[in-house]
């Protein structure tokens, strides 16, 4: 008989200034707590380390010398994110989150930091939730594979500073109509994007000849599109007023993903950033400011 699937595990997610959500994980024996971004757009578990040469800021750091179950890997590898490149040491250890547990989880420990703004960031690492199930690049298999789980759900808040939830191995009841879309690719949760409209008109470059592969990325608050398409979006949407005074007059944008249209009203593609406590070092102004999520 086939083994029963592990039960779902739910943890709360902390909203950090409406720019990223973090969840707590425990690693090592005895367990050490770190705050990580639950990232559907990557497949690696990256953690700040006491051995990191330039990981500044108020962070929890993993100390491998204090874990009896820590196993050193066999090399150093670079890891690229939108904020920069990190040099990491490969390793493995026990990792748990909300009751979900991996006895021999692949871990990448930060050795040299290249993440812009990490010194002001409210997270200590990135927990990739990609479906990667092989060790083709030397970083190990994904967190979900190590935990014996094939699915997860993420719920973000609707209001400023609203908390969220992460469920490993299950869904989140929303009471709303849900649709199932076919994921494409092996290392990321991706969908085909075939059209972008403002009003009834498709924007030039939206078909990406014949389609773009869009990564569903919970690790960023931005919406990334090809440069040619971004130019047309910015031209037709216009400037977003920093004081948020024109948000209600901006047009909705329709994006077709996996064959289904999704309507993005301006309150979805405009983010209100609290600059008085922002994690980005260049954002030191006091107060809230509206910005477009398109990049």
């Amino acid at each position: 008989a086939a083994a029963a699937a592990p039960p779902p595990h739910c943890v709360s997610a902390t909203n950090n200034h409406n720019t990223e959500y973090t969840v707590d994980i425990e690693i090592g024996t005895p367990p050490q707590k770190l705050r990580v971004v639950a990232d559907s757009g990557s497949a690696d578990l990256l953690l700040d380390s006491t051995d990191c040469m330039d990981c500044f800021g108020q962070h929890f750091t993993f100390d491998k010398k204090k874990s009896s179950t820590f196993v050193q890997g066999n090399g150093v590898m670079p890891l690229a994110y939108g904020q920069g490149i990190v040099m990491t040491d490969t390793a493995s250890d026990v990792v748990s989150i909300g009751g979900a547990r991996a006895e021999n989880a692949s871990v990448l420990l930060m050795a040299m930091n290249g993440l812009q703004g990490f010194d002001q960031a409210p997270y200590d690492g990135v927990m990739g939730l990609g479906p990667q199930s092989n060790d083709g690049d030397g970083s190990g298999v994904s967190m979900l594979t190590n935990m014996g789980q094939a699915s997860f759900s993420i719920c973000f808040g609707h209001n400023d500073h609203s908390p969220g939830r992460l469920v490993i191995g299950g869904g989140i009841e929303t009471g709303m109509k849900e649709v199932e879309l076919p994921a494409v690719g092996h290392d990321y949760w991706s969908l085909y994007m075939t059209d972008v409209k403002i009003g009834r008109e498709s924007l030039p470059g939206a078909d990406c000849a014949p389609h773009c592969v869009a990564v569903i990325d919970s690790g960023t608050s931005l919406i990334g599109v090809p440069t040619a398409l971004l130019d047309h979006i910015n031209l037709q949407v216009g400037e977003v007023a920093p004081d948020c005074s024109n948000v209600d007059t901006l047009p909705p944008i329709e994006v077709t993903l996996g064959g289904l249209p999704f309507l993005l009203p301006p309150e979805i593609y405009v983010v209100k950033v609290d600059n008085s406590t922002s994690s980005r070092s260049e954002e030191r102004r006091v107060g809230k400011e509206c910005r477009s999520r398109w990049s």
Side-chain angles (χ1 to χ4, degrees):
H9 302 276
C10 180
V11 294
S12 61
T14 301
N15 182 339
N16 297 283
H17 318 307
N18 297 332
T19 58
E20 61 257 316
Y21 283 78
T22 57
V23 296
D24 292 344
I25 69 167
E26 293 183 332
I27 174 172
T29 307
Q32 303 175 42
K33 186 184 79 170
L34 283 83
R35 306 159 300 175
V36 296
V37 175
D39 185 18
S40 61
S42 64
D44 301 299
L45 178 59
L46 173 72
L47 297 177
D48 195 357
S49 165
T50 54
D51 291 337
C52 185
M53 297 177 59
D54 49 3
C55 294
F56 304 113
Q58 299 297 315
H59 295 288
F60 296 107
T61 57
F62 176 66
D63 188 344
K64 63 185 182 183
K65 297 183 181 66
K66 294 182 179 180
S67 174
S68 62
T69 48
F70 176 81
V71 178
Q72 187 70 52
N74 57 2
V76 177
M77 66 173 293
L79 200 60
Y81 293 94
Q83 300 97 323
I85 297 177
V86 184
M87 295 303 297
T88 69
D89 293 318
T90 59
S92 62
D93 209 331
V94 176
V95 174
S96 62
I97 174 171
R101 183 177 173 91
E103 298 295 334
N104 189 34
S106 303
V107 183
L108 297 178
L109 300 180
M110 296 174 69
M112 295 183 64
N113 171 50
L115 297 179
Q116 184 180 17
F118 185 67
D119 58 332
Q120 298 291 325
Y123 58 87
D124 312 310
V126 178
M127 182 177 66
L129 293 170
Q132 181 176 314
S133 58
N134 58 66
D135 193 13
D137 62 358
S139 64
V141 299
S142 74
M143 196 68 192
L144 289 182
T145 300
N146 275 313
M147 289 180 170
Q149 301 282 3
S151 65
F152 67 93
S153 301
I154 297 178
C155 179
F156 294 144
H158 288 288
N159 304 311
D160 286 356
H161 308 297
S162 295
R165 282 184 293 166
L166 167 67
V167 176
I168 300 291
I172 298 175
E173 292 294 333
T174 64
M176 298 182 291
K177 181 181 179 181
E178 299 178 355
V179 295
E180 184 174 319
L181 301 177
V184 297
H186 300 288
D187 297 330
Y188 304 99
W189 301 108
S190 308
L191 299 170
Y192 285 137
M193 184 183 79
T194 52
D195 199 8
V196 178
K197 293 180 179 179
I198 296 182
R200 297 183 178 181
E201 297 294 326
S202 296
L203 297 181
D207 59 358
C208 301
H211 52 238
C212 297
V213 177
V215 176
I216 308 303
D217 188 359
S218 63
T220 179
S221 57
L222 301 177
I223 305 173
V225 294
T227 301
L229 179 55
L230 177 63
D231 291 340
H232 288 287
I233 292 175
N234 288 336
L235 181 65
Q236 296 205 31
V237 170
E239 293 292 330
V240 176
D243 64 359
C244 309
S245 59
N246 71 335
V247 172
D248 292 339
T249 67
L250 301 177
I253 299 177
E254 183 180 280
V255 179
T256 301
L257 296 170
L260 293 179
F262 292 87
L263 194 65
L264 304 180
E267 57 266 27
I268 293 294
Y269 67 78
V270 172
V271 61
K272 186 184 294 183
V273 178
D274 187 349
N275 288 323
S276 60
T277 53
S278 174
S279 65
R280 295 184 173 89
S281 58
E282 70 272 15
E283 296 171 356
R284 293 288 188 173
R285 297 178 299 278
V286 176
K288 293 181 179 179
E289 179 178 344
C290 276
R291 301 178 184 180
S292 172
R293 294 185 188 270
W294 299 98
S295 68

